[in-house]
């Protein structure tokens, strides 16, 4: 999958999150579950893990479990059960190795890659947490639209620092615009949130863009979903700092 195609798909997914954030409640949870499952499908192939079905199962259970844990908790702090979910997923990663019948080659790499993928999947629960926070739904919209614009700019033929700066500035402008239009988020908060999202998008682009595995469709699924899942926890943290 070409860079432009991946960038457009990521932007489209971010736009879906923005719409879900506007609708609120269950819509954000459903989208977060689907994102976690998509990452679980593609991450083992993207990172070349030796036992892909088992790793996908662990990552999927961790991501979906985290989303449901945040969705069902009665009151703040909404992320309080996440350490338990992640710790359980780590144990499942070791169980996954015990179930292997291939000689357990590259076992350390397999465990590390599975745990890392689970952490990235768990991060998507941040969208649900900030959406449930009082006054947090506009932050979901602001963060998701900043991600959509930043991802779209990645598709432009801009390289090096120029591309990173353009991505960051465009995401910051999108966040500021949403902050100016929606209530509960001021322009400064939207700008800072957008800049943070832009830096994240630029960093992930530099980190993963040249991987040969991205030429195949399944690893590309993880690459296009990854910025959306990770941005969830970023929006939650930045939103709580800026808005409370």
């Amino acid at each position: 999958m070409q860079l432009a195609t991946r960038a457009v798909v990521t932007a489209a997914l971010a736009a879906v999150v923005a719409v879900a954030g506007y609708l609120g409640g269950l819509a954000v949870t459903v989208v977060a579950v689907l994102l976690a499952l998509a990452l679980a499908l593609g991450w083992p192939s993207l990172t070349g893990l030796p036992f892909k079905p088992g790793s996908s199962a662990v990552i999927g259970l961790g991501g979906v479990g985290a989303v449901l844990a945040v969705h069902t908790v009665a009151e703040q702090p909404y992320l309080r059960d996440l350490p338990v979910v992640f710790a359980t997923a780590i144990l499942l990663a070791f169980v996954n190795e015990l179930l292997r019948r291939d000689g357990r080659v590259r076992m350390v790499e397999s465990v590390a890659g599975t745990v890392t993928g689970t952490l990235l999947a768990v991060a998507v629960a941040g969208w649900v947490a900030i959406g449930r926070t009082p006054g947090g739904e506009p932050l979901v919209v602001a963060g998701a639209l900043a991600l959509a614009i930043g991802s779209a700019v990645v598709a432009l033929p801009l390289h090096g620092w120029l591309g990173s700066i353009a991505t960051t500035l465009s995401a910051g402008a999108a966040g500021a615009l949403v902050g100016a239009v929606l209530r509960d988020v001021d322009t400064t908060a939207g700008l800072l949130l957008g800049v943070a999202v832009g830096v994240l998008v630029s960093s992930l682009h530099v980190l993963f863009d040249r991987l040969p595995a991205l030429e195949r469709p399944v690893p590309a699924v993880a690459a296009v979903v990854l910025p959306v899942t990770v941005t969830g926890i970023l929006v939650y943290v930045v939103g709580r700092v800026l808005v409370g």
Side-chain angles (χ1 to χ4, degrees):
M1 188 180 294
Q2 299 297 318
L3 170 61
T5 304
R6 296 198 308 271
V8 170
V9 173
T10 300
L13 291 175
V16 171
V17 174
V19 174
Y22 183 78
L23 296 175
L26 185 61
V28 178
T29 299
V30 171
V31 172
V33 166
L34 295 176
L35 290 171
L37 292 176
L39 183 66
L41 172 66
W43 180 259
S45 296
L46 178 66
T47 54
L49 300 183
F51 186 43
K52 295 177 178 59
S55 296
S56 289
V58 173
I59 296 169
L61 288 172
V64 173
V67 172
L68 296 180
V70 174
H71 178 75
T72 56
V73 70
E75 57 187 14
Q76 297 194 55
Y78 297 119
L79 298 183
R80 62 171 176 244
D81 292 333
L82 242 57
V84 176
V85 174
F86 186 54
T88 303
I90 292 176
L91 294 177
L92 290 177
F94 286 99
V95 173
N96 174 50
E97 298 304 314
L98 294 176
L99 295 176
R100 291 175 60 185
R101 294 296 181 265
D102 56 358
R104 300 194 183 110
V105 295
R106 300 160 54 205
M107 185 169 63
V108 174
E109 179 183 342
S110 179
V111 172
T114 301
V115 171
T116 301
T118 303
L119 178 62
L120 297 173
V122 166
V124 77
W127 289 116
V128 182
I130 194 63
R132 295 192 61 194
T133 302
E137 291 179 356
L139 286 173
V140 175
V141 177
L145 285 181
L147 175 61
I149 298 301
S151 299
V153 172
V154 168
L156 300 178
L158 302 173
H159 304 286
W161 283 105
L162 180 60
S164 298
I165 292 172
T167 299
T168 303
L169 291 179
S170 61
L177 179 61
V178 174
V181 172
L182 297 181
R183 297 181 300 173
D184 300 324
V185 181
D186 60 34
T187 304
T188 302
L191 173 64
L192 294 176
L193 177 60
V195 168
V197 171
V199 171
L200 175 64
V201 172
S202 300
S203 301
L204 291 177
H205 168 62
V206 172
L207 183 61
F208 289 102
D209 181 48
R210 297 185 180 182
L211 289 180
L214 292 179
E215 298 177 359
R216 305 194 306 273
V218 175
V221 169
V224 300
V225 170
L226 180 59
V228 189
T229 61
V230 178
T231 300
I233 200 66
L234 174 66
V235 170
Y236 178 79
V237 172
V238 175
R240 290 302 302 269
V241 171
L242 295 177
V243 179

